Amino acid sequence: MKPLEGKVTLVTGATRGLGKGIAIGLGEAGATVYITGRSLNTSQDDISGSLIETQALVESVGGVCIPIQVDHSDDEQVSLLFQRIQDEQGQLDLLVNNAYAAVQALKNSYGKPFWECDLSLWDKCNNVGLRSHYIASVYAAQMMTQRQQGLICTISSWGGLSYIFGVAYGAGKSACDRLAADMALELKPHNVASLSIWPGIVGTEHISLLADEMNASNVHDQGSAAIRERYNWETPLLTGRAIAALAADSTVMRRTGRVQIVAELAQEYGLVDQNGESPVSLRSLRFLLPSALPALRKYAGLVPDLKIPWWLLLLTILRSPKI
């Protein structure tokens, strides 16, 4: 029996990228996976991806997948989504808040200071990508608290503590972490866990294209090196496998309210990525030293996989906000 057989899960924003990988990871574990997105049969932009394509991949690894076309900026559509899950399944065991509408906008504004970006960037980052997570969590919590069990995973990033893609992005990711932590406080008495999930550098369709464009335009700044050179990349499936392991962990409540780093979860649960590799945490010496000294990358395996303590990171690399 697979670990998530009989479990009902929902992954928002699953036409491609992280959402697709998460859905596949849950399908591998035997879950019934509801997936949402704006594109049912065909992509709405130049990057491929649709719910039907994701459904086929989830089913190919043994999962049951139910695609539902939803625009997460429309609260009524979201309400109907959860009502449908209640009517069809009578339960929801896992919500993955992943829907995000700003990927192309962030790509277009890359390298610009916030005052030169279009004002719409803020809403693109933090409407579907923060507000939408809150709305989905409200409906999920109503279902989960009735059964006194459940897990809400909110996809965030290292950008919540360190400057990555700009002001609007960082503010939104920091808010996602706080959302997960504060929801955990109120959900804990009802035996429902809430976690913030930090993937590493994930080779999604958009990030892969960004790396290609950086190389074609001869962008060589140190800050873009890890993207440009595809160093220590993860695939979206690793996040899916990590979340599946969390959902199957009977002791998951001991983690509630905390940030969970995908590479560290993979190490703890004995997981490997789609390509059989084991990317390290972005706070590992094995990542940090070769990032700073590219000549060491050939010998990265010889660098100890030691995690830098959070207090030291907060004094150096993760230096925002200051109190």
Side-chain angles (χ1 to χ4, degrees):
M1 181 175 178
K2 294 184 177 181
L4 294 185
E5 281 189 25
K7 299 293 186 180
V8 179
T9 66
L10 168 61
V11 183
T12 69
T15 57
R16 54 179 172 244
L18 270 170
K20 178 187 286 186
I22 294 166
I24 296 169
L26 296 175
E28 279 185 338
T32 296
V33 189
Y34 282 79
I35 57 173
T36 67
R38 290 176 297 168
S39 304
L40 185 61
N41 294 298
T42 57
S43 176
Q44 295 187 355
D45 54 37
D46 294 334
I47 302 293
S48 64
S50 70
L51 291 172
I52 297 301
E53 291 175 18
T54 300
Q55 179 188 24
L57 291 169
V58 172
E59 292 176 345
S60 73
V61 297
V64 175
C65 188
I66 303 168
I68 304 178
Q69 191 171 19
V70 174
D71 179 350
H72 279 271
S73 67
D74 185 330
D75 294 352
E76 181 62 24
Q77 290 187 36
V78 178
S79 174
L80 291 172
L81 162 69
F82 282 89
Q83 186 59 55
R84 176 171 168 179
I85 296 172
Q86 176 64 45
D87 292 344
E88 293 179 354
Q89 307 293 337
Q91 69 185 75
L92 179 65
D93 300 284
L94 167 67
L95 165 66
V96 182
N97 283 317
N98 173 73
Y100 196 64
V103 176
Q104 186 61 45
L106 287 170
K107 183 171 169 288
N108 293 342
S109 63
Y110 186 79
K112 296 180 182 178
F114 73 91
W115 61 89
E116 292 181 7
C117 298
D118 192 283
L119 293 176
S120 65
L121 180 61
W122 177 269
D123 289 334
K124 288 177 179 176
C125 286
N126 299 316
N127 183 8
V128 177
L130 174 59
R131 184 184 184 278
S132 62
H133 296 348
Y134 175 79
I135 300 303
S137 297
V138 167
Y139 290 114
Q142 289 172 357
M143 296 177 68
M144 293 174 178
T145 55
Q146 289 293 317
R147 301 178 66 241
Q148 294 289 294
Q149 64 182 55
L151 170 62
I152 299 174
C153 290
T154 298
I155 303 300
S156 185
S157 108
W158 296 80
L161 279 178
S162 180
Y163 184 90
I164 299 180
F165 289 121
V167 174
Y169 176 86
K173 293 307 180 184
S174 183
C176 283
D177 294 335
R178 187 56 187 258
L179 173 70
D182 284 3
M183 290 195 305
L185 189 68
E186 296 185 7
L187 288 168
K188 189 173 183 179
H190 303 279
N191 196 41
V192 177
S194 170
L195 306 174
S196 183
I197 307 295
W198 286 11
I201 303 170
V202 184
T204 63
E205 297 90 342
H206 276 285
I207 296 298
S208 295
L209 182 59
L210 178 60
D212 290 341
E213 292 175 354
M214 286 178 171
N215 286 312
S217 61
N218 293 315
V219 174
H220 293 301
D221 62 284
Q222 183 64 29
S224 67
I227 293 177
R228 189 179 66 251
E229 299 175 20
R230 293 174 163 82
Y231 176 61
N232 196 58
W233 276 25
E234 301 170 6
T235 76
L237 181 60
L238 187 64
T239 298
R241 288 174 172 170
I243 291 176
L246 288 169
D249 188 342
S250 61
T251 66
V252 71
M253 283 301 299
R254 66 187 171 90
R255 302 177 185 270
T256 194
R258 295 164 48 196
V259 165
Q260 302 295 307
I261 298 168
V262 167
E264 296 179 20
L265 288 171
Q267 188 175 56
E268 182 176 343
Y269 286 117
L271 309 172
V272 295
D273 207 342
Q274 184 174 359
N275 50 19
E277 296 181 357
S278 299
V280 296
S281 171
L282 299 192
R283 68 181 179 120
S284 168
L285 277 180
R286 190 174 293 174
F287 173 77
L288 292 171
L289 284 181
S291 291
L293 301 169
L296 292 178
R297 291 184 187 176
K298 294 180 182 178
Y299 313 103
L302 301 177
V303 179
D305 184 14
L306 297 176
K307 312 299 187 299
I308 304 299
W310 283 109
W311 66 266
L312 182 56
L313 287 172
L314 291 169
L315 290 175
T316 55
I317 301 170
L318 304 181
R319 53 187 176 271
S320 177
K322 290 289 189 184
I323 298 177

